[in-house]
Amino acid sequence: MITPKLSDIVGITNKIAPAQFAESWDNVGLQLGEPAQEVSRIMVALDPGAPAIEAAIADRCDLLVTHHPFFFTPLKKITSADETGRLALRAVKNDLAIISLHTNYDIASGGVNDLLAGRLGLSDCQPLKITGAAEYLKLVVFVPKGHEEALLKALSPSMVNLGNYRDCSFQADGVGRFTPLQGANPFVGSVGRPQRQEEGRLEVLIAKQKLAAAVSALKGAHPYEEPAFDIYPVLNQGEVRGLGRIGVLAEPMSAAAFALQVKQALAASGVRLVGNPERAVKKIALCGGSGASLLHEAARKGADVLVTGDVKYHEAREAEALGLALVDAGHFATEWPMVHGLAAALVKALEARKYQTEVVAYQGEREPFSFF
């Protein structure tokens, strides 16, 4: 077991919620900290406010991972005269680093919206608003007979799953020809003599962001000094990603009963319902936090109800006009499941790498509103 550096944890969080998934206006990733710092204890929280920062310091944590960004707008100065500056100085003095996963964790598989969907008992979930799709490349490599399996094993982590199938590849046999030049150290053949070699042509599909890792693995596992390989762009539709989720309940229920189910599942102090309480709902759209901007997308995809937070009066009227029910469970209640969800994802990733780092979920956060 080893203690990872902050840069190692940044790498882990970027696999959980890739930074490139974030909206253009967002600020995600490492907010504060020295990349070479060792991290032996991590706290996960929703907000990077004073309560979470003080709790992390008191609990002797080296890193605080939050959903909402610590720095959201550009700063011209960092002083104790304002809250952000005061908290930044407090964190720096106590060697507390901060990482934030915001819209990238909203969009990521297993992130905020998938956790919310799980709480609400939805199945067959898909992104509500598509923001992007995985880009694929075809990697073709030529390898001498007998070395195909070792090469495929090395490439496996970079290969794309096709539905429920992994390690998908194609192989064809052929003959490779080459002449080693002066200075070469050929695996087969001799310098200056043309060589004819039985080889296999291997084809695999890889995600574009894994190209560098795939090429590195290929060169490390290939027996040739200079392996021959080709990389082709393809038009295959990759896995889509996006904001919100849309799925279905196991059985239809009244909007009122569903609103109460949301309240109980999220331990919300209260929820607001827009629409006829007696209407039957089954197809559910959701977006943790502030998702009323997805009203039209939810209606277009045939949702009976949209679950989100921060719904304004005119947005409620717009939903009525669209024939879409709304359940406003609040910004906090629709996002807080990420604390335990992200903590569990970090524990799993750390254990897989045999890192000696503890992860704790901050228990002190509360809904800022009181309901009477």
Side-chain angles (χ1 to χ4, degrees), residues 196-207:
R196 183 182 185 278
Q197 179 67 35
E198 290 188 359
E199 294 180 335
R201 172 190 171 108
L202 301 180
E203 298 186 17
V204 298
L205 203 61
I206 62 169

Side-chain angles (χ1 to χ4, degrees), residues 9 20 41 52 75 111 157 161 164 202 216 239 297 307 328 369:
I9 307 300
Q20 68 266 25
R41 191 168 176 82
L75 299 179
N161 287 0
N164 293 324
L202 301 180
S216 177
E239 180 183 4
E297 197 70 26
V307 181
D328 183 347
F369 298 100

Side-chain angles (χ1 to χ4, degrees), residues 15 18 20-21 133-137 158 160 206-214 241:
K15 287 187 180 297
Q20 68 266 25
F21 288 5
E135 294 184 69
Y136 294 158
L137 299 170
S158 302
V160 170
I206 62 169
K208 187 175 181 179
Q209 71 268 22
K210 294 185 177 181
L211 175 59
R241 59 179 180 270

Side-chain angles (χ1 to χ4, degrees), residues 194-245:
Q195 177 69 27
R196 183 182 185 278
Q197 179 67 35
E198 290 188 359
E199 294 180 335
R201 172 190 171 108
L202 301 180
E203 298 186 17
V204 298
L205 203 61
I206 62 169
K208 187 175 181 179
Q209 71 268 22
K210 294 185 177 181
L211 175 59
V215 171
S216 177
L218 183 158
K219 291 182 176 179
H222 203 290
Y224 284 178
E225 186 178 29
E226 294 291 344
F229 61 93
D230 300 316
I231 299 165
Y232 301 100
V234 295
L235 298 179
N236 302 56
Q237 175 67 60
E239 180 183 4
V240 297
R241 59 179 180 270
L243 290 166
R245 296 292 184 267

Side-chain angles (χ1 to χ4, degrees), residues 116-145:
L116 179 57
R119 288 266 179 173
L120 301 185
L122 303 188
S123 60
D124 300 327
C125 290
Q126 300 292 329
L128 179 56
K129 180 181 178 181
I130 304 302
T131 59
E135 294 184 69
Y136 294 158
L137 299 170
K138 175 67 69 69
L139 176 62
V140 178
V141 58
F142 304 89
V143 61
K145 299 291 292 180

